[in-house]
Amino acid sequence: MKTIGGNSGYVGYSMSKRAQQARNNGIFPKTDFKKEYGISERLFKVLEGKKIVFVSEWHHTSKAGNKTNFYSWRDDSDLEIWLNKGSKVKSLARKMKNEPKLMDYPATREGMDRYTIDCSEVHRFNKAISEQIENIFNEE
């Protein structure tokens, strides 16, 4: 690792040596974690909510030395499950529905009641999908 500008704690101008070591060990900032494993934002939120993916450490990054959270898998078996069953997990995540938009409902009592019911149905459906994803990681 080459240091630049006399700063022995940084690799280049944007990443600390420890941040680089974390990357080498498969621990990444959120955006890079999603890119590395091909995970969508929606799926990332599910995995994080189920604590399958979590903030395992933080490091200084950028010229300003910002504090950046780095994410990792709960354990090595979760990474193995992802590598073996990731396509199934992604397929389930794609089935998840978006929340209804309030603006799509008439501003009447009936419209608001329908909106509330539709939101509840979407939440219930997405929760069921989320639990299926969690079961994939917990069945091993």
Side-chain angles (χ1 to χ4, degrees), residues 79-103:
L79 174 57
E80 283 299 314
I81 291 167
W82 174 257
L83 295 175
N84 293 324
K85 298 184 179 181
S87 58
K88 181 178 179 181
V89 173
K90 286 181 187 180
S91 175
L92 283 169
R94 281 191 293 272
K95 292 178 183 178
M96 295 178 85
K97 298 179 180 179
N98 293 324
E99 283 193 31
K101 294 181 178 145
L102 182 58
M103 63 186 269

Side-chain angles (χ1 to χ4, degrees), residues 7 9-10 13-16 58-68:
N7 186 348
Y10 271 75
Y13 287 105
S14 63
M15 189 176 309
S16 71
W58 65 269
H59 295 281
H60 288 114
T61 57
S62 83
K63 187 166 83 172
N66 297 329
K67 178 181 171 182
T68 303

Side-chain angles (χ1 to χ4, degrees), residues 13 17 26 34 36 40-41 43 47-48 55-56 59 67 70 73 84-86 90-91 94 96 100 109 129:
Y13 287 105
K17 286 182 178 180
K34 292 187 319 184
E36 179 74 18
S40 68
E41 178 65 21
L43 179 54
L47 295 174
E48 186 179 26
V55 176
S56 60
H59 295 281
K67 178 181 171 182
F70 277 58
W73 295 98
N84 293 324
K85 298 184 179 181
K90 286 181 187 180
S91 175
R94 281 191 293 272
M96 295 178 85
R109 180 78 240 153
I129 297 287

Side-chain angles (χ1 to χ4, degrees), residues 101-102 104-118:
K101 294 181 178 145
L102 182 58
D104 293 338
Y105 294 81
T108 63
R109 180 78 240 153
E110 294 80 22
M112 296 302 99
D113 289 345
R114 183 77 247 159
Y115 171 75
T116 303
I117 291 167
D118 289 351

Side-chain angles (χ1 to χ4, degrees), residues 115-133:
Y115 171 75
T116 303
I117 291 167
D118 289 351
C119 282
S120 294
E121 289 174 1
V122 167
H123 285 282
R124 199 169 20 261
F125 180 82
N126 287 349
K127 183 178 180 192
I129 297 287
S130 174
E131 288 171 358
Q132 289 178 33
I133 290 170

